[in-house]
Structures are given as structure tokens and as C-alpha cells.
Amino acid sequence: MKKILVALLSVLFLYSFATANVATQVVSIETEINSAISRMNLSWKADLEESFVAKLETANIGDVEAIFEKLNGYIDLPDEVRERFIEYLRLAYIEEMDEFSIQGMTTTDDLMMSTFVLLEPRVVAESSFVRLEPIRDQFIHGSCWSFATVGSFESALAVQSFGMNGNVDNTFDYSERWGTYHNIDWDIYSFSPDSYVQDKNSLEGGNSYFAMYNLIRYGMMEEEYAPYSEVYLDPREEVPLPPSAYNAPLLKSSRTVMIPPSTSAAELGYSYEDYLNMIKTALSDYGSLAVSFSVPYSFNYYSKGIYSPVEGDYSTGGHAVTLVGWASATDLDDIILAGKTNPDATPILDEEIESYTYVDPTQAASPIFTTTTFWIIKNSWAYDWGDGGYFVIPAISEEQYESGQLGFWEIEKREMYLPIFDDLAHHEGDDLDVNSDGVVDTKDFEYLVEKIGSTEADDITACDISFPKDGKINGEDAAAWVFLFNNR
Amino acid sequence: MKKTLLITLLLGFMLFVSGCFKINNPPVISLTGSVSEGQEIAPMTLVTFEWEVTDFDDTEVTSQFKLYKDGAEVLSVVDTGEAVYALDEEGKYIAEVVATDSMGAQSKETISFKATNLKRELFQSGAGLMYFDYSDYFQYIEDEAFGIRFYKTASEEIVPAEEVTVRKRLNLLDTDDDGIYDTWEEIPNDRPDLQTYVYLPGYLIDYDTLWVPYGFEYGEKSIRAYYAGVEGPYSGYVLFYKFAEVGFDLNTVYARWVEAHVFGNTFNDYGEAYKAFSLRERYDSDEKPVISLSTPDSDIGPGDSFTVGVMTENVASFADLYDVRYIQLSLWNSEGIVLESVEFGNFMAGLKDVGTFKSSDEAVTLYKAFLNGEDEAEAADNVFATLTFSVPEDYEGEIIAVGLAYEGYWDTYDIYPDLPNPAFRNVDNGSVDGFIVDHEPIVFLE
């Protein structure tokens, strides 16, 4: 009996020691970060809630940094893949070798690429737009990419198919667990010279690029059929699907809006205003966006304010989140993010500001930037992280857009994604008689193809019939014409 | 009296007229099933149907149930009120009940659904076109050369009409002596002594680096060994060593045996020698929907013209199963060669094909719409389009090449007249996955 008692006491002692250890580490780190924030005159605070810290201990990892590295499970597309493609061209056209193949990469990636569409930016007048959609909890898994993808899916469905203000009322709850069941096998993708993309049931790191494609080819099931609660406490990377998943109805999106990284957008000819308006148009007219960034060490301890990195910051891994709105500097003292869980919650900032100037110590020579626009982003670390589960960061400034000077932590450095739900209702105003001869027939299809690439306003008015409209005439419009012709 | 007669005659006339023009309502059918309208299910599913027929005119009714697969009848029953079918093949199915009453009035109810292997593969995460065979023990192999050999499962008729699963021993052969194995040989089950190992180096010293075995990559058309750099300037890199240009059929289970030593013992002592694996997809190796280019018979040079066919193998049937209504393919060509013409044939049976194209100096985009309407009179074939190019007499390029396009980045689209990547859209304008576009270009060297 004594032995059992001693053993029990030992376990309790070790547990309490480990518990204190994580909490102590957090307090110590927060003190350092807040000191740096003060020195740099930044407008945010590091102060994790106790309930959130208590959950970190469940990860069974003593080092708090290692815990956050696990949570930040967004994996960037490897450079090797891009280099490999260049190598392919070199082998094919310079070395003239024939003993190689890129079939594996192209058979999948070419089909993926054809599902991504651009969006025509409209001039968005609203100074701020906030859509506070439900905060989920990925808990101890690196499944952020699935939460960002599904969060965007729910929002886009609500906006595009039901005309709702996104998923603010939690009307739609789809299965992040199903998303992670179709993660990709990163070993095969990274090591194979052919970059095969194939599925792997894995709750750990992933990328929305593939997850968005899976929404199109596989579809998404509702949460009840494959609930995340079944894996919430399970530390395993591969957990079998529950039987309920096998006959679940699957809802497919049609395509994915891809907003290019700011540097690519500039190369494609979009102005700074166009680029910001493209993001804002997507948000307000089509739904919230899956975005990603490389996570500075200090970000993990964010509690409120305008986040930007502090001195000594470094990347602790990639993270995917959902962009749900924007705010002008003058509105930051009016917007409350944590109101759902805290009736006494206060606005993002206590006082009104006209603009915000900050140093980015993650870039060479620590440049200083000034911005007047801010992104409001929902995380998937539950309501007790950050400002009611959300955080705020400065949007890219015009100076940065022109120079390409972006820190690794900025969401404009990477692609942003948004599912598209095409249906007949979105084409009510579209006329199939694009050649205006009074008859809808195959000549209209041929006429539309002939007009592909035209920049004439009349042609665009007549032929830009795809959803979403992109202000161009291309194969998307030809496909839309066929869709409408066959379903008239 | 006259009045009575008149009324009687009138009543009689009305009775006669009502008898002549009696409205016979058709039977009402209630058809339900374990599948619902428009549902997609996996093959190897038992589907059940039930139906009730009500005739308000109370006449005798016969009801006939039929199940069609791709338009062909696969099951027919009469008056049973229920039907069961073990559905084991992909295809488009229609369950139909036709009820006829004794006065000839007829009605019909249907349930349309499809069975696809995609639905099956949705729940097979962790498998695909490539299998990576990794063991923690590979890197500790102590042999100068170690062996690997393979097995496959097969079905064999040991006793007439009795198919049993058997293990087949395999050898890899190098029939053209080029140092790369190119053919499988099946060993008779009663001659295990004929099975041989492929021997691979237990380590490599190359590029001033020591490389040790790390894993094997099994594909449909290749087997590669991976070696990891552990000492030297390329420590941490991986070296690929392709030793076979044959591989493994999809959806067939194989196994490998590694004969090697680690820590003074055999691999088998650690339970690491034998491992089963398979490559999986929604189609078998010989059923893949592949789009590729046909190669001209002779070499091409300045002053010549040549024809390239955009050929399809299993594409039309796959496209039909997934209700494809629009295909867009782009081809790039060497700058300086001239596209002379594009011809489209009848590709998709049962629908009206409309083909057109748009070209630029270095590329052409092909568009095919499959529209509701009268199908073409000629038979459908596997030629998506035929393109004729000419090479000017003063052509100065080093190569003459044409290829099906793939562009991975937005900023490389500008040589194309339209979006370059292949697009396959279904009846709902949703993107369809699973087509394989062979991007291997046709290249003629000057």
C-alpha cells in the first residue's frame, strides 16, 4: 500500500513540476517579449491566458517552443520542386537527355493549376469590414492548414450559395478531420524526383494548395460525420476515420480563387490598389480566405493589439489561418474582436490612430514601414488565445509592394485561397447569345473562343460570363458557356 | 310520359357517354432504394430497391423492374416489389420501374446513380501511384552488396472453375544488357530455386561523399533505390539510383524480400526482410485515361510539314463516367514553326462535339465542348485533334518540338493564347480529377 502511495505521489509531483515548468517558461518569455515591445514602441501585448497555457501542457512536451513548432504545421511547397522543374527544362533542352520524366508532377499539378482562377478587383469603398466567424481549436495537432481551408470553405459557402454574411452564426460546420485524412505524403512529394502527390492520413503539417484541390475533387463532409473531437486528445498522427464517414454526403466546390503573392501580383501588372482591392473584393463578395505565414517566435504569445515581430524574432514554422476582414487605422478603436466570449472585451486599440509605423527587425537593416490598413485574422487555437481567438497585423504598404520588401511573417508573401461555388443562380444575368445574332447555338461558343484575350470593353461585357468574373475573356468563360448551354 | 321517356333517354345517353370517355388514371409508383437519385457510390456495393404501385382505378397492374448499366440491361424482375443487385463494376446505372394496368395505362419511375472507383479510393488515404519503402535498418546494412527480390499476388485456376490466390515469384531481367532491368519474369511456383536477387551496393562513395541505403521507391514504370549522404560534402542529400524501368501494376499486391545483414544478424531476424505493398488508383494500369501526342514517323527538318495527333486512351469512357462536358488543352511549340491547321473529329459518343482553337506564335489552345444535341454521324474515335505544323526553310532553331502544356506559375502564361493548363469540366462546371496528360514533348533535333 505504501509503495502505491509513494508511486502516486511521485507521479503527482512530476506532473505538477512539468505543469509549473510550461507556465513558468511562458511567463518568462512573455516578460522578455513585452520588454522588447516597449523598447520598440509597438502596439501589442504578449499575455497568454492561463486556460490556454494549461492546454499546452497536454501536448506532453516540456519545451514550450517545441509545442508551438508542432502547432505551426503549415508546410511550404519545397524549393526542390521548383528547382526540379527548372532542372527538367535544362535536361530536356540543354543536355538533350531522354531518360527522365515529369509525368508524376504534371499529371497532378497541371490539373490542380487549372482549378485556380484570378478575381477581378473592384474598388472597395468600405474602410473596414469585419466578419467574426467561429473560432475552432486544432489543439495539439499541426492541422492548421485544414482549419484554414475548411474555415474558408464554410465562409464561401455561406456567402456565395446562401447570400449570408459568412459563417458568423456557425450555420455551417464542416470536417477538418476529413481534410486531414487527405493530407499529402510529404516524403514522397519531397523525395521523389517526380514529385508525386498522393494522399496520406495525417494530422500533422500540410498546405492549403492541396487541401483546396481536395475540396473540388473529393468534396467536404459535415463535421458530424468525421468529428475532430475524435482526434482532439489523440496524440497519434494517423487515426482511422469513423464508420459514419463512409456514407457521408460530400459537397464539392467548383474552383479556387488564388490571390497571388504580392510580388507575383506586381509582375502580373496589378497595381498596389488593385492588389488590396482584390483581397478585399474576395473577402466581402465571396468569403474569408485561407492564408499563411511563417510564424515569428513572439507571435505565439500574442494577446491583443497590432502584431509585428520584435527584436531577435525568428521563424518557428509555417502557420495557416483565415483572413476574415480588414480595418482602417481610424477604426481600430471601434472594433471589438473578443465580444463573443467576453462581455467586457475592449476594442483592438484603446485610442484612435491615423496610421501606424513599425520597425520590422526580421528584415535586413530593420526597415521602418507605415500603414493605414490592417488585416483581421482568425486563428484556430480556440477562443482563449489572442484577442478572442483573432489577431491583427498591418497590411502591406505601397512602399513594400513596389519594393518587394516583405518580412517572412507577412501574409502577402504567400498565396491566398478561396473556394468557389458555381451554380446557375450566379449566371442569371449572363446572355448565351454572345454574338448577338438572335440565336443561341454553337456559333456563339466559337465566337466566344475567338474573342479570348480581347481587351475591348464590349467584348468583355458580352463574353466575361464565368463566375467569379475576372474582367478577362478566357477558357473559364468558354467552360461557363458550355455549362449554361447544357443546363438552360 | 314523354317527360319520363326523355329523362330516361337522357340518363341512358349520359351513362353511355361516361362509359365511352371513362378516364383511366395511370398507376402511381413509389420507388425507393438504398441509393438515391444522383448518388455516387463505390463498386462492390449491394444495392436494394423497393417499389409499390397503386392504381386508383382498381385494375390489375403489372410492374417490371429493370436495372441498366451504361444503357445495357443487367437485371430484370416482374411484380416482386423488391430487387437486389450486387454491383461490382464502375458505371452509370438507372433503376427503372414500369407499371402497366389492364387498360394499358402506363407510368415509369427511375433512380439514376453511378458507381465510381474514386468513391472507393476516397477512403484509401495512404496509397497512390508511388510507394516509398523505408526501413530504419537500411542505413545499417553491412554487406558490400545486398539483395532484393519481389513477389506478386495472382489468381490461378488450380482446380477447374476454382480461382485461388497464389504468390508468384518474380525475377527482374535486363533483356537489352544496358544495365537497367526492363522485364519481369514469373517463376513457376514449383521452381523457387530459379528466383534470383537483384544485388545493390551496400554503400556508395561518390562525389566525395559516403552514401548508405535509405529506401526504395516503387512506381509503375520504375524502381529506384535511394541512398542518403552521411559523410562528405553531400551529407544530408539523397541520391537516386534507378535500377529498373519496369514497375508494378496498379491495384495489385506485391511483396519484397531484402537479403542483408545488420548488426551481425539478418534482416529477417529483425522482421524487416519481408514487406507487402501495392500501388492504388481508381483505375488499373491498362485503364488509365491518358492524353498524349502521336509522334510523326520520320525526322523533321526545315521545309517539312508534320502532323501531330492529340491521342486519347480510355479518355472518352472516363470522361463519360464523370460527366465531362468541356475539355481545354494547350500545346506549346518551338518558336518559328507554323501551325497550319487543326482538325477535330467526333470524340464523345452521345453528345454533340464542338471543337475550336486559338493560337499564338508559340502555342495553341484546343477547346472541346460536349453539348446536349444530336451526336455526329461518324463513329467516335480516340483522336482528340489533329494539328499540322510546317517548318520554314529558313528555320534557325536548334530543335523542333511540340508538347502538351503544363505551367506551374502564373507568370509563365504569356506565350499562350489562353490559360495553359489542361481543364476538364463536368456538367456542373466543376473540375474533374484523374486524367493523365503526358507532357513528354515530341522533339526533333536539328
Side-chain angles (χ1 to χ4, degrees):
Chain A
M1 186 64 193
K2 267 187 180 175
K3 274 186 182 171
I4 295 171
L5 196 62
V6 169
L8 273 173
L9 285 171
S10 303
V11 169
L12 278 173
F13 173 75
L14 287 171
Y15 176 75
S16 61
F17 178 76
T19 303
N21 194 26
V22 169
T24 307
Q25 286 178 60
V26 168
V27 170
S28 166
I29 293 166
E30 285 176 347
T31 304
E32 280 178 34
I33 293 172
N34 284 322
S35 169
I37 289 170
S38 179
R39 279 198 307 277
M40 297 172 68
N41 201 24
L42 300 176
S43 291
W44 67 280
K45 192 178 176 189
D47 185 15
L48 294 179
E49 288 194 25
E50 277 181 29
S51 58
F52 182 80
V53 176
K55 278 194 303 188
L56 294 181
E57 291 147 5
T58 319
N60 215 17
I61 302 172
D63 180 6
V64 71
E65 280 184 58
I67 297 171
F68 281 118
E69 279 174 21
K70 183 175 164 65
L71 292 179
N72 297 325
Y74 190 83
I75 301 177
D76 276 325
L77 299 178
D79 289 342
E80 292 87 340
V81 174
R82 296 173 182 207
E83 287 167 9
R84 205 171 286 139
F85 186 67
I86 294 165
E87 178 66 2
Y88 160 76
L89 295 173
R90 190 185 69 77
L91 289 170
Y93 302 112
I94 299 172
E95 301 288 328
E96 296 171 6
M97 289 175 64
D98 57 4
E99 218 176 90
F100 63 90
S101 164
I102 59 163
Q103 185 171 322
M105 176 168 68
T106 56
T107 50
T108 304
D109 196 49
D110 56 356
L111 299 191
M112 286 186 195
M113 282 301 293
S114 69
T115 65
F116 290 111
V117 295
L118 290 167
L119 195 62
E120 182 183 22
R122 68 173 174 84
V123 176
V124 180
E126 295 92 330
S127 62
S128 298
F129 175 90
V130 188
R131 184 187 281 139
L132 297 182
E133 292 175 318
I135 301 290
R136 315 285 190 209
D137 187 1
Q138 69 186 80
F139 207 52
I140 52 173
H141 297 292
S143 49
C144 56
W145 53 277
S146 186
F147 280 80
T149 303
V150 174
S152 180
F153 182 88
E154 292 165 348
S155 181
L157 177 66
V159 174
Q160 295 170 35
S161 297
F162 296 91
M164 299 161 65
N165 179 29
N167 196 32
V168 291
D169 296 327
N170 199 22
T171 306
F172 301 104
D173 189 2
Y174 280 83
S175 172
E176 292 85 3
R177 170 77 194 96
W178 175 247
T180 60
Y181 184 74
H182 294 289
N183 196 352
I184 73 161
D185 188 323
W186 287 94
D187 285 339
I188 286 177
Y189 186 66
S190 302
F191 288 125
S192 162
D194 292 337
S195 293
Y196 275 87
V197 175
Q198 65 187 45
D199 292 351
K200 184 182 179 186
N201 174 18
S202 170
L203 283 153
E204 303 314 325
N207 190 299
S208 295
Y209 181 78
F210 306 106
M212 283 286 169
Y213 187 62
N214 287 342
L215 298 178
I216 293 167
R217 64 173 171 168
Y218 298 156
M220 177 50 64
M221 64 177 63
E222 290 185 64
E223 179 74 8
E224 61 182 312
Y225 297 105
Y228 198 78
S229 57
E230 290 206 349
V231 300
Y232 189 74
L233 292 179
D234 195 329
R236 289 178 297 167
E237 184 180 339
E238 292 184 43
V239 184
L241 279 177
S244 55
Y246 287 77
N247 281 316
L250 292 163
L251 177 66
K252 295 179 178 179
S253 54
S254 315
R255 282 172 295 289
T256 304
V257 165
M258 181 196 275
I259 295 178
S262 60
T263 47
S264 297
E267 285 171 15
L268 289 167
Y270 291 100
S271 68
Y272 172 67
E273 285 76 18
D274 283 345
Y275 177 67
L276 282 193
N277 278 328
M278 201 184 330
I279 298 171
K280 290 177 179 178
T281 303
L283 275 170
S284 61
D285 298 355
Y286 299 96
S288 302
L289 293 152
V291 301
S292 62
F293 62 108
S294 201
V295 184
Y297 166 78
S298 64
F299 170 84
N300 300 310
Y301 303 88
Y302 168 91
S303 68
K304 198 177 182 64
I306 303 166
Y307 175 78
S308 65
V310 298
E311 294 156 350
D313 249 326
Y314 56 88
S315 173
T316 57
H319 191 40
V321 286
T322 314
L323 175 60
V324 297
W326 72 87
S328 70
T330 52
D331 291 341
L332 289 172
D333 62 329
D334 298 323
I335 298 169
I336 297 173
L337 300 178
K340 272 188 187 175
T341 52
N342 177 9
D344 301 322
T346 56
I348 298 164
L349 294 183
D350 295 332
E351 294 175 6
E352 184 174 313
I353 58 171
E354 293 294 323
S355 62
Y356 184 66
T357 300
Y358 65 97
V359 176
D360 184 357
T362 65
Q363 294 195 52
S366 297
I368 296 169
F369 300 113
T370 298
T371 187
T372 56
T373 304
F374 302 84
W375 301 127
I376 296 168
I377 300 174
K378 80 164 183 167
N379 202 349
S380 50
W381 291 352
Y383 281 100
D384 56 359
W385 179 88
D387 195 354
Y390 300 89
F391 65 98
V392 179
I393 54 169
I396 185 174
S397 68
E398 187 164 7
E399 178 194 356
Q400 286 179 284
Y401 189 79
E402 302 298 340
S403 66
Q405 274 187 296
L406 272 90
F408 63 73
W409 55 281
E410 291 176 88
I411 59 172
E412 298 92 346
K413 203 171 170 65
R414 291 171 171 74
E415 292 84 357
M416 304 179 186
Y417 303 102
L418 173 71
I420 288 297
F421 295 88
D422 198 359
D423 60 28
L424 291 173
H426 289 124
H427 296 276
E428 277 175 4
D430 295 326
D431 184 0
L432 293 188
D433 184 17
V434 291
N435 64 2
S436 303
D437 66 353
V439 184
V440 175
D441 57 15
T442 57
K443 287 177 185 165
D444 291 292
F445 177 71
E446 289 161 347
Y447 177 86
L448 194 154
V449 169
E450 196 181 299
K451 292 295 178 185
I452 281 173
S454 169
T455 53
E456 295 292 327
D458 288 348
D459 291 340
I460 292 172
T461 302
C463 298
D464 184 17
I465 58 172
S466 60
F467 176 78
K469 300 212 182 301
D470 57 4
K472 297 179 170 66
I473 308 171
N474 56 29
E476 289 297 333
D477 302 300
W481 190 93
V482 174
F483 164 56
L484 296 174
F485 181 90
N486 281 330
N487 289 282
R488 292 186 303 172
Chain B
M1 186 65 188
K2 268 188 179 175
K3 270 188 179 174
T4 310
L5 191 64
L6 197 64
I7 290 167
T8 307
L9 284 172
L10 194 63
L11 284 172
F13 178 74
M14 286 173 70
L15 197 65
F16 173 75
V17 168
S18 69
C20 287
F21 294 98
K22 183 180 178 187
I23 297 166
N24 180 31
N25 298 299
V28 175
I29 304 168
S30 166
L31 172 64
T32 57
S34 57
V35 287
S36 54
E37 178 67 27
Q39 195 179 346
E40 188 174 338
I41 61 171
M44 304 306 290
T45 301
L46 201 66
V47 288
T48 60
F49 302 92
E50 291 181 0
W51 62 95
E52 283 182 7
V53 180
T54 309
D55 186 47
F56 292 106
D57 301 319
D58 203 23
T59 66
E60 196 173 322
V61 179
T62 53
S63 63
Q64 180 157 46
F65 172 90
K66 288 186 177 181
L67 183 66
Y68 298 93
K69 175 186 175 289
D70 299 325
E73 183 183 307
V74 292
L75 178 68
S76 176
V77 294
V78 177
D79 286 341
T80 54
E82 58 184 30
V84 179
Y85 185 72
L87 185 154
D88 56 4
E89 286 184 5
E90 278 194 311
K92 289 181 169 177
Y93 290 82
I94 298 174
E96 173 193 276
V97 172
V98 175
T100 312
D101 69 15
S102 58
M103 297 179 73
Q106 203 171 67
S107 53
K108 183 168 84 173
E109 282 292 315
T110 60
I111 297 175
S112 299
F113 61 101
K114 65 168 84 167
T116 69
N117 289 333
L118 173 65
K119 195 73 179 175
R120 177 194 72 197
E121 292 305 313
L122 275 179
F123 301 95
Q124 300 289 341
S125 192
L129 291 172
M130 187 65 71
Y131 186 89
F132 190 68
D133 177 7
Y134 172 78
S135 165
D136 283 335
Y137 290 81
F138 283 147
Q139 60 186 302
Y140 302 113
I141 286 176
E142 294 163 346
D143 311 74
E144 284 281 321
F146 69 98
I148 184 168
R149 63 187 187 192
F150 296 93
Y151 309 84
K152 73 182 282 189
T153 51
S155 192
E156 216 168 70
E157 202 175 86
I158 305 290
V159 175
E162 275 189 37
E163 292 274 326
V164 295
T165 301
V166 295
R167 185 182 75 163
K168 290 277 187 187
R169 294 173 184 271
L170 301 172
N171 276 350
L172 279 166
L173 305 178
D174 178 10
T175 57
D176 54 8
D177 289 327
D178 67 350
I180 303 278
Y181 295 100
D182 52 41
T183 305
W184 286 113
E185 178 193 35
E186 282 189 16
I187 305 297
N189 278 339
D190 57 352
R191 293 297 308 277
D193 56 301
L194 296 179
Q195 192 174 21
T196 57
Y197 286 103
V198 169
Y199 283 97
L200 299 164
Y203 64 91
L204 294 168
I205 297 175
D206 217 342
Y207 308 110
D208 298 324
T209 302
L210 173 64
W211 308 83
V212 298
Y214 177 72
F216 294 94
E217 180 202 271
Y218 306 135
E220 284 184 273
K221 290 180 180 170
S222 73
I223 309 173
R224 282 187 270 236
Y226 287 22
Y227 286 81
V230 290
E231 282 179 36
Y234 293 104
S235 180
Y237 285 74
V238 173
L239 193 68
F240 307 108
Y241 174 48
K242 178 178 171 181
F243 63 88
E245 57 193 14
V246 286
F248 305 91
D249 288 340
L250 295 176
N251 307 315
T252 299
V253 178
Y254 291 83
R256 62 96 168 125
W257 180 279
V258 170
E259 187 66 23
H261 293 82
V262 286
F263 312 127
N265 300 305
T266 67
F267 247 51
N268 195 30
D269 291 333
Y270 298 98
E272 293 284 323
Y274 188 78
K275 187 174 191 178
F277 61 92
S278 67
L279 312 182
R280 294 189 64 99
E281 244 298 355
R282 70 205 87 175
Y283 24 66
D284 289 338
S285 293
D286 57 356
E287 294 172 347
K288 292 194 293 188
V290 180
I291 299 170
S292 59
L293 298 183
S294 65
T295 309
D297 293 334
S298 57
D299 279 352
I300 305 297
D304 293 334
S305 64
F306 62 98
T307 300
V308 173
V310 180
M311 309 303 290
T312 64
E313 193 179 347
N314 305 315
V315 172
S317 56
F318 188 80
D320 178 52
L321 181 63
Y322 290 95
D323 298 314
V324 169
R325 295 292 181 271
Y326 177 81
I327 296 178
Q328 180 180 328
L329 297 167
S330 290
L331 292 87
W332 55 264
N333 56 263
S334 301
E335 190 176 5
I337 69 171
V338 180
L339 177 68
E340 297 290 348
S341 66
V342 179
E343 287 178 18
F344 295 95
N346 180 21
F347 175 71
M348 191 83 99
L351 292 166
K352 184 175 178 58
D353 285 31
V354 182
T356 185
F357 69 99
K358 185 93 180 167
S359 63
S360 65
D361 288 346
E362 294 175 71
V364 54
T365 300
L366 311 175
Y367 305 85
K368 267 265 190 179
F370 308 111
L371 305 178
N372 295 338
E374 196 175 340
D375 192 13
E376 290 70 23
E378 69 266 31
D381 61 24
N382 63 349
V383 182
F384 185 84
T386 306
L387 293 82
T388 302
F389 293 91
S390 65
V391 186
E393 291 285 359
D394 57 353
Y395 182 74
E396 292 178 346
E398 292 183 359
I399 59 169
I400 297 163
V402 178
L404 284 159
Y406 158 65
E407 296 295 344
Y409 301 94
W410 292 104
D411 46 7
T412 55
Y413 282 17
D414 54 353
I415 68 158
Y416 297 92
D418 196 357
L419 305 170
N421 290 306
F424 303 88
R425 296 291 167 77
N426 65 16
V427 72
D428 298 320
N429 204 20
S431 296
V432 181
D433 178 58
F435 293 93
I436 297 166
V437 181
D438 184 351
H439 298 274
E440 198 74 30
I442 296 169
V443 180
F444 299 98
L445 300 175
E446 272 288 280

